[in-house]
Amino acid sequence: GMVVYNTATVSDVTPGLYVNNGAAWTLATSSGGGTTQYSVGDFAQGGIVFWVDATGEHGLVCAKLDQSTGIRWYAGTNGYTQAKGAGIYAGKANTTIIISAQVAIGDNNAPYAARMCNELQITESGITYADWYLPSSFELNLMYTNKSTINTTATANGGLSLKTDYYWSSTEGDSSNTWGQEFTSSVMSSYAKTNYSNVRAVRAFF
């Protein structure tokens, strides 16, 4: 718990406040907690940060590439999944609900949006991230709002820009339609689950 200010008179030490956890010294952030703070546009946590909370320590990242440029939302059979979550972090629960519901409704074992995100693994800087999900409608709209920043960071790190095309969300509309967004407009729209659309997976960090 000891905190000291290092004036860093040597070239290989960064000046600033350091926190000792009993085992090592860590450069503290401006919040004084010794934790990393993120900003929209950072390339971190397996992808591109596109939303952070007030602390800057928790948020959402999207993958630097689309997982598909044409995949169905459903698993071969229409029906209610009850994946209705629409807010921050809701996409994770939606994704789990969709996969479970589709098994009961009817799954022809062909790839579909939620399953593709759920099975995704991305390795960046030696760390494999395997907790991706299909974004909720609100999370998808946040990606649209920050698409210019996302595109800049993606292309600078070997990724690709978001398309000016339709992307799936995990938020269900009814038994045969779900919510998504064409990335030319801020307006969400209802789209048949049988259609083939784009997917960009997201994950949360805490």
Side-chain angles (χ1 to χ4, degrees):
M2 178 180 285
V3 178
V4 300
Y5 187 86
N6 191 328
T7 55
T9 57
V10 293
S11 60
D12 60 343
V13 177
T14 302
L17 284 172
Y18 282 75
V19 178
N20 192 298
N21 63 6
W25 290 96
T26 304
L27 181 64
T29 64
S30 58
S31 65
T35 54
T36 303
Q37 292 179 312
Y38 299 92
S39 299
V40 171
D42 286 350
F43 188 68
Q45 296 287 335
I48 302 154
V49 178
F50 68 93
W51 178 81
V52 292
D53 68 5
T55 69
E57 298 169 12
H58 320 111
L60 296 166
V61 302
C62 66
K64 65 183 183 183
L65 297 165
D66 287 346
Q67 278 55 69
S68 177
T69 57
I71 194 169
R72 303 176 307 179
W73 193 91
Y74 82 155
T77 306
N78 276 326
Y80 284 102
T81 68
Q82 303 305 328
K84 304 293 187 182
I88 291 289
Y89 304 134
K92 187 171 183 64
N94 282 349
T95 298
T96 300
I97 291 167
I98 292 165
I99 294 170
S100 297
Q102 287 288 181
V103 170
I105 294 168
D107 185 340
N108 63 7
N109 206 35
Y112 62 97
R115 178 182 163 192
M116 176 170 282
C117 293
N118 184 66
E119 296 176 355
L120 179 65
Q121 295 187 31
I122 294 177
T123 301
E124 294 287 351
S125 301
I127 300 173
T128 298
Y129 300 89
D131 54 350
W132 300 91
Y133 61 85
L134 189 64
S136 70
S137 55
F138 187 74
E139 290 169 327
L140 185 64
N141 189 256
L142 284 172
M143 289 170 61
Y144 169 79
T145 300
N146 293 295
K147 67 177 182 178
S148 178
T149 302
I150 291 171
N151 292 346
T152 298
T153 304
T155 55
N157 289 277
L160 294 173
S161 295
L162 291 156
K163 298 178 182 300
T164 54
D165 204 350
Y166 198 90
Y167 281 84
W168 287 126
S169 86
S170 60
T171 306
E172 184 180 65
D174 56 38
S175 63
S176 57
N177 298 281
T178 194
W179 292 101
Q181 188 164 351
E182 188 167 1
F183 272 38
T184 56
S185 169
S186 61
V187 178
M188 304 294 296
S189 59
S190 181
Y191 207 51
K193 296 175 181 178
T194 56
N195 286 323
Y196 289 78
S197 296
N198 301 285
V199 168
R200 181 77 65 113
V202 305
R203 66 176 298 272
F205 61 91
F206 300 97

